Amino acid sequence: MYYKSISKYFLRLVVCFFLISQTACTKKQTLAAAQNLTIAEGFENPIGFYEASPTFSWKLPNMDGVKNQSAYQIVVASNPDLLPDQADLWNSEKQETDQSAWVKYEGEALKSSQKVYWQVKYWNQDKEGSDWSEIQNFELGLLDNDDWKAQWIGLPTKDEGVIGSQNNIIHRPQYLRKGFELSNEVASARLYITAKGVFDVAINGKDVSDDVMPPGYTPYHKRIETITYDVSDLIESGQNTIGVEVASGWHSGRLGWMKSYWSDTETPKIICQLEFTMKDGSKEMVVSDSSWKGTTDGPIRLSEIYDGETYDANLEIHKWTTSNFSDKNWKAVKAFSVDDKIRLEPKRHTMVKSRIELKTQEIIQRDGSIIFDLKQNMVGVPLVKIPMKKGDTLKTRFAEMLSPDGTFYTDNYRTAQSTNYYIADKDGVVEWMPKFTFHGFRYVELSGYDTSEKPSKDWVTGLVQYSDFEENGTFTSSNDKLNQLQSNIVWGLRGNFFDIPTDCPQRDERMGWTGDAQVFGPTSMFNADVYKFWASWMQSVRESQFENGGIPWVVPDVLFNDKVSAGWGDVCTIIPWKIYYRTGDTKILEENFETMKGWVGYHEQVSKDYISSMDGFADWLQPLPANGDNKGDTSHSLIGTAFFARSAKLTAQTAEVLGKTEDFKKFNELYKNIAKAFDAEFFDENGKVKGVTSTQTSYLLALAFDLLPEDKQENAKKFLLEEINNADDHLRTGFLGTPLLSQVLDETGQVDVMYKLLFNETYPSWFYSINQGATTIWERWNSYSKEEGFNPQNMNSLNHYAYGAIGEWMYERIAGISPLEAGYKVIKIAPVPNTNYLTTAAASLQTPYGTVSNSWKITDNQFSMETQIPPNTTAKITIPKIGNEELLINNQKLTAIKEIKLLSTSDDFIEIEIQPGTYNFITPYNQKK
Ligand code: RAM
C-alpha cells in the first residue's frame, strides 16, 4: 500500500515533469506577439472613428527568430470575449503573405457608434505561429447626418453689432448651457459635438478635454468635423449640466485678406449629442436644441485668431457649467436643423494640443513694459502667472524678433493685432492663457502688471501647440549649424501644422497655401507621424477643387477668387504620391485619383499644344531676381508646362499602382507628349534654355521631372552647373526650385556641389539665416540680416516651412535612409559622406515595419556605420570603400556571413543586400582631398 502510493506519487511527478518541460519547450518556440497595432492611417484604439472599413497594421517584434512574416490572421468581434475563436464580425483566416500593413477589413458592415475588438497573429519565415496580439479596439463616431438628433444652436451675435479692428463683424464668444436629469445609473456616456466656430466644453464643472480649438479647420460650407469624447466618468447620477463656450475661430472670424467670409452669413453655433447607455441596458440622449440657454456676457469678450483675445475676470460666471447655477436671466438660444448640404463627419486626424512647454530664458525690461525671451520662435499661447492689481489691464503683445533698437518688430504681423488683454478682478497672482486664438512668437511683452513686484522668468511659459502627432524621425550630425537647420525644420513643422498645413502662423494669413504644402510635405513625413494629418487635409483639397478641375491657392479656400497657380495646385498629385511612397498604403492614391485626373484636365484646358499658359506665383521668392519681382526670373509658361508634365506622370504612376491600365497608358502618353513639347519649346538642340530667361530652376524642373531626351540631359546638367557657378556657387531658387536642387545634383553625381550649397554661409543659403540668429525657417532667404535689418517688405514671415524641404535630402542622403520600394518594404541605405563638412551623421525613422536607423562616422581613414533594419523588410546597402580592401560586417568578413548577398562592387562602393537585424560595418576610407 505504502509502496503503491509512493510509486503513484513518483509516476505523477514524472508526468508533471514531462508536462512542464513540454510547455516550457512550446513556450520557447512561441514567437512574441505582433506589436504597435493600428488602424487606417495609424490610429491606436480610437473612439469617434471616421472609417467603417479601415485597414489594419501591425509590427513584428525585434527578436531572434523573427525576420519576416509568411502569413497572418486577423479576427474582429463585437465583444472581446469572442476573440480569437468566435470572431463574429470577421475572420480573415490564415493568409499566406508578407503584408503586415494596410490590410483591408472585409467583415460585416459596421455602423455609427459601434465598438469592435480585434487582434492579429502572424507566422514567421519558418512558418512558426506567434501568440495572438493583445486585443485592440476602435469605436466609430456618428457617420451620417441622419445620426444627429440634435440641432445647431446659438445666439444671434451678429445683431450685437460689435465691429473689429478691420471693420469686420465680431461675434462675441457665447456661453451655452443645459441642465438635465438622468433617471437611471449610467454605464457609459459619449459626447458627440462640433461647432461652427471653435468650442470648449465642460460637464459638471470639469473640462471634457484639453483639445485646442476643436473641431479644427475644414471647408465648412461642405464638411464640418465632429469630435467624440468618452464622458462616462464625468456624468453623475441625477442632476447634470453641460456647458459649451463657442467663439468665431476659423469659421466666423477674420480670415484671409478679406474681412471674413463666413461671419457675414453665419454666426457661431454648436451642435452636440450626449448618448448614454444605462446600467440596465436602456439608452438615453440629451441633445442641443431650443431648450438650451445662452449669454454673451461672459469673461471672454473677444477672441479672434489674428487679433487675439480679451478676457475680463470681472465677468467670470462662477459654476455656470455645474448644476448649482441658475440661468433664468440667460437668453433662449435659436435652434436650426441639421442641413444635408454640410456633412458632419468624424474628425479624421488628431486635435491640436499643447505639446511642449518653453520656459522664459531671459527678461528684458524697458520703460513700463517687460519682454520675455523664450529664445525659440514658437506657435501657441503664453501661460502667464503674474501679479496684478484689481481693475488693471494686462496687455500681452508678441513678436518673432526685436528690432535692432530693442523694440518689438510687429510690421510682419501686418493687420493681425495679435494682442491679448486681461482685466483683473482682484489683487494677486493671475494665471491665464487665451483659449480661442494662437500666436507665432519668440518674445512676449507684458504691460499693466503690478510693477511693485520684481519680474520673474516664471511669469511667462510658452505652450507650444500643434496637431497631436508623434515626432518619429531624428537627424543629427557633427556640424552644429546643420543640427540647427534640422531644429529649425522641426520647429517650422510644429509651428505650421496647426490642424491644417499653414504657410505661416503669425500674420493675417495662416492659410493652407497649397504650394508650401507641396514643397514641405515630404520632409514632414520623415520627421513626424503625419500621414493622418495629410490624408485629412487632402480630403479638404478634394472638396475645394473647382468644377473645372482647378485647385485653389489655399485650402480651405477662403479667398474665393477662383484662381490657380502652377506648382501650387499640383499638391493634389504630389502629396498623395509621396505619402504612398513613404507608407505603401494605396488608399491615399485611391482617394485622390479622381482629383488628380481633374487637375491634369485643368492643366490641359490652359495649354495649347501642351504648352501651358497657367499663371501663378512661379518660383516664388527666388533670391536676387533680375526683375525685382517676388515671382522670380523663371518663365511662367516653362513652370506651368513642367508641372503639367509632372502631374500627368504622377497620375500615370498612380493609375499603374491601382491597376488602371487604360488610364496609365493615357496619362503616360500625355506626359511624354508634354515632355516633347516642353523640350522643343524651351530647350535648343544642345540642351540649353532658349527663348526664355535661363535660370537654375528652369534646368532643375527639366531634369527633376524628366522632360528632356537622354542625349540632351548631360548638356542640361552642365548648363545647370554653369548657372550655379555664375551665381558664385550659390543657389538662386525660390519655393519651386529649391526642393529640386538636391535631387537633381545628387542624380547628376554632383553631391559635392550640393554639400557646397548646403554649407554656404553667405546669402542666399540655409546657413545664412542661421548666422542671423534664426530658430525657424524663414519665408525669404533674407528676411533679416545683421547688416541691413529686416527685409523692407512686410510679407516677411520668420516661421515659414517651405525652404525646410532640404530636410528630405539630409535624411535620405547625408544620413542615408530612403525607401526603395513603397512603404520601406525594401530600404535603401546609401549615405554620401563628405569629410570636408562632416565626420558623422545619424538618422532614425519609424517605418510601417518598425525602426530603421543609420549612423556613420569617419575617423582615421576609417568609415564605420551602424544600421538597424526592421523585421519584414530587406535593405540594400551601399558602403564607400577603397579598392579591394576588406569590408568587415559585425567583425566578420563578408564572405563569412551567408545571409548577406553581394550585389555589386566597384573601386568606390560595395553594394550588398541584408536581412532585418542590427549591423556594424567597417571599411577603410579615403578622406577627401
Ligand atoms: C504668400 C506666402 C505663401 C505663398 C503665397 C504665394 O502668401 O509667402 O507662403 O504660398 O504668398
Side-chain angles (χ1 to χ4, degrees), residues 600-616:
V600 174
Y602 182 80
H603 265 297
E604 265 176 316
Q605 290 164 43
V606 292
S607 303
K608 190 159 177 276
D609 300 330
Y610 305 110
I611 299 301
S612 176
S613 58
M614 190 186 292
D615 207 355

Side-chain angles (χ1 to χ4, degrees), residues 257 503 507 509 513 516 568 617 620-621 735 779 795 800:
W257 305 305
D503 61 327
R507 68 177 177 224
E509 204 157 341
W513 278 97
D516 308 45
W568 267 246
F617 300 102
W620 189 238
L621 306 187
F735 278 27
E779 182 169 22
M795 191 190 78
H800 223 81

Side-chain angles (χ1 to χ4, degrees), residues 55 83 378 670 874:
T55 55
L83 292 178
M378 59 154 278
L670 178 61
T874 48

